[in-house]
Structures are given as structure tokens and as C-alpha cells.
Amino acid sequence: MLEEVERWLATRSWSVTDRPLHGILAAKRASGRSVSVVLPALNEEETVGDIVAVIRHDLMQQVPLVDEIVVVDSGSTDRTSEVAAAAGARVVHRDAILPRIPAVPGKGEVLWRSLLVTTGDIVCFVDADLKEFSSDFVSGIVGPLLTDPDVDLVKAMYDRPLGGAAGQGGRVTELMARPLLNMHWPQLAGFVQPLGGEYAARRSLLEQLPFPVGYGVELGMLVDALHLVGLDALAQVDVGVRKHRHQDGQALGRMAAAIYRTAQLRLARGHLIRPSLTQFERGTDGFEPRTYSVDTEERPPMAEIAEYAARKVA
């Protein structure tokens, strides 16, 4: 490990207990900064309501840390929107944001568009499929941004159990993202959960970053933030254990392909020779190929979007 990374781990890796809530609140009052929480959601009616309810109770009603909770629904066919609204979130449909640019499927697309419908100086992203959710996930990663002006982006780190086995979750992280980062961006080798969906950042940083529209958004954001603001502006906070819905192996393969493509673009700013991935499923006549396109589009920095610039002037 690079000496720079060892130093970073000692100075930019914290525990949620390192910043008591009263100290975070005092820093928020002193700075006057606002906090938005965004949940990207697609068919998450079983979990999204509980997450919203916990954040509202713990961090809006009990203490005034969070100023708004926005659920961006990316086309759910279940009751995600209704459940989220009933729990107290403001629900916005992906297609209603920036309709001038037709939306494409993908998590990164939703996160990018969320910048247009939130107002917080600090934006905190939380996946909508978490189980046994704790508000520490939010206060833990928002805390450094309110207490340390030199920090611009904070990722949560945690244990990810899989089927009762500790530490076996995060398969795409271990098989794809971590090797890529260690080999090509070794300064980022200290991140425990580089692909984790729980992170917070200053709007002033997010609006300067391009957003891969799909699953490559987390890796792309880390790499681009490293180049834009430097390693010492990035941090991570241990928030305990993350339990969520796990995807099957083929879905993980598609995720890995998108992440590899995101890395490839940043290595060479080139293009894929074949931006697709073929997987196999056993059918009645043996193994049958299924070919999926790999996300090949990225959204530009939000600061370049006319509607966003107009909103800031207004």
C-alpha cells in the first residue's frame, strides 16, 4: 500500500462515534449549510418507507440535521411512490425532471437528475433497499462535511453479510472494483466500500462531476473526485453493518461490465469495441445466450445544464 494511502487511512477514515450528534448539529448551525437526502428507488416498496420514516424521526423531528428527503422513483411498478410519500418523503418521478433530455434507465441517471430537484448544500445518497436501517448511515457520512471544511465527499464503510456469512457481500467490489482501483488508481485503494450506495458530498463538487448513467456511477465519481479535489478531500466513515437485497450472479455480471467500461473510459477516454455482455441461461435445449447492452452514456456535469444554471441565478 502506498504511504500516502496509509496516511489517508489514519487521517480520513473515521467511525460514526467519532462525531457525536450534538457536535454535528452545532457545526450545521454555525455554517448555515443545508442537507438533502436522496433515495433512488425502483420497486422498493418493502424497504423505502422504513428508511424514510427513520430519517424523518431521528434527523428531522428529533434533531434538525436533515432539511429534506427526496425519493426519486425511476419507474417503479409497485407501490414505492405511495409508500415513500406516506412515510414523509417528497417523491419525484425521474421522467418529470429535466424532460428536455429523455431519461435512460440506470441508477446514475437518477442521481444526476436529483441535483435539479434538491436544494441542500450537502447531498446525501442512500440506497432504498436497506434493511434494519439506522440513521447513523446519514449522520455518519454527513458529519465530516459539516465539521471539516477540507472534506468534499464521504463514503460509508460497513460489513456486508451474505446469507448469514459475515463479510461475503460486495462481490462486484472484490472481483472487479477493488482490483481496478488498486492497479490503476492506487490512491483510492484505502476505500473499504468503493461501490457502496451510501455517500454524501458537497453540491459544489457534485455539480462539476459527470455521472455515468448506470452502475458505474460510484466508481466514476470516486475517480473523478480524486482528480478534481485530491485524496485528502475524500473520506470514509464506519457505520456498522449494511443489510440489503442481494442480486443474482447474472445481474452482478452486468454490473461488473458497466463498472469496467466506466474505468476504461477514464483510463483512455476511448470507446468499447463491443459495448455488450453475453451471459448464458439453461433452457429446454441447453444453454441459451442472453446479450445485454452495457451502459455507454454519461451525463455531463450538472453545472453545464442550462436549467440548473437558471435555477441557481433565480
Side-chain angles (χ1 to χ4, degrees):
M1 182 177 290
L2 297 176
E3 288 185 11
E4 182 181 7
V5 176
E6 291 182 352
R7 177 191 54 76
W8 179 84
L9 283 169
T11 60
R12 285 291 187 263
S13 291
W14 299 298
S15 167
V16 68
T17 58
D18 290 335
R19 288 176 175 80
L21 193 53
H22 65 83
I24 297 173
L25 289 169
K28 182 176 189 287
R29 286 192 295 269
S31 69
R33 299 195 180 279
S34 54
V35 176
S36 299
V37 175
V38 172
L39 279 72
L42 176 62
N43 295 328
E44 302 293 358
E45 66 176 0
E46 294 184 5
T47 50
V48 67
D50 288 341
I51 297 172
V52 170
V54 168
I55 296 172
R56 274 191 59 82
H57 176 269
D58 292 1
L59 302 179
M60 295 181 80
Q61 297 169 345
Q62 295 283 80
V63 298
L65 180 62
V66 171
D67 297 281
E68 64 175 348
I69 306 175
V70 178
V71 171
V72 183
D73 190 328
S74 58
S76 298
T77 55
D78 64 2
R79 298 182 61 253
T80 290
S81 290
E82 293 89 338
V83 170
R90 176 161 60 93
V91 179
V92 185
H93 195 281
R94 173 200 63 199
D95 296 347
I97 307 170
L98 199 61
R100 173 176 66 84
I101 300 176
V104 297
K107 180 182 180 182
E109 177 83 351
V110 174
L111 300 184
W112 181 71
R113 290 175 185 264
S114 75
L115 296 181
L116 260 171
V117 293
T118 53
T119 59
D121 302 301
I122 294 168
V123 182
C124 175
F125 299 119
V126 177
D127 282 349
D129 66 342
L130 302 189
K131 303 173 182 177
E132 301 178 25
F133 178 78
S134 165
S135 58
D136 285 347
F137 273 71
V138 174
S139 59
I141 57 179
V142 166
L145 294 164
L146 290 169
T147 60
D148 190 333
D150 295 326
V151 174
D152 288 327
L153 184 149
V154 182
K155 296 215 64 151
M157 58 177 167
Y158 32 66
D159 295 313
R160 295 183 66 179
L162 175 63
Q168 296 302 307
R171 290 161 287 173
V172 175
T173 293
E174 300 304 329
L175 296 175
M176 176 60 72
R178 200 178 307 285
L180 280 172
L181 293 175
N182 275 263
M183 288 187 288
H184 298 296
W185 297 281
Q187 287 177 294
L188 298 174
F191 277 94
V192 175
Q193 298 292 352
L195 300 185
E198 290 69 48
Y199 48 99
R202 299 189 191 281
R203 178 176 294 272
S204 57
L205 170 62
L206 293 172
E207 65 187 16
Q208 298 180 68
L209 298 176
F211 277 60
V213 298
Y215 283 120
V217 63
E218 274 85 23
L219 182 135
M221 189 177 295
L222 264 188
V223 171
D224 293 340
L226 173 68
H227 289 299
L228 193 62
V229 296
L231 182 61
D232 283 341
L234 313 180
Q236 61 185 349
V237 174
D238 187 349
V239 296
V241 178
R242 183 187 198 266
K243 297 181 180 179
H244 65 113
R245 172 177 47 79
H246 293 281
Q247 302 194 54
D248 63 35
Q250 294 210 335
L252 296 179
R254 297 191 290 274
M255 185 184 302
I259 290 165
Y260 178 76
R261 173 262 172 189
T262 300
Q264 183 193 45
L265 280 182
R266 279 151 180 78
L267 285 168
R269 291 296 168 185
H271 63 279
L272 285 176
I273 296 174
R274 181 176 178 268
S276 60
L277 174 72
T278 299
Q279 298 176 318
F280 295 88
E281 297 179 5
R282 184 181 290 280
T284 55
D285 297 321
F287 285 104
E288 300 174 356
R290 300 283 188 272
T291 299
Y292 302 87
S293 61
V294 174
D295 296 322
T296 57
E297 188 171 357
E298 295 195 5
R299 295 305 189 189
M302 186 57 78
E304 298 178 6
I305 300 299
E307 289 88 338
Y308 187 79
R311 192 193 74 168
K312 293 185 73 173
V313 171

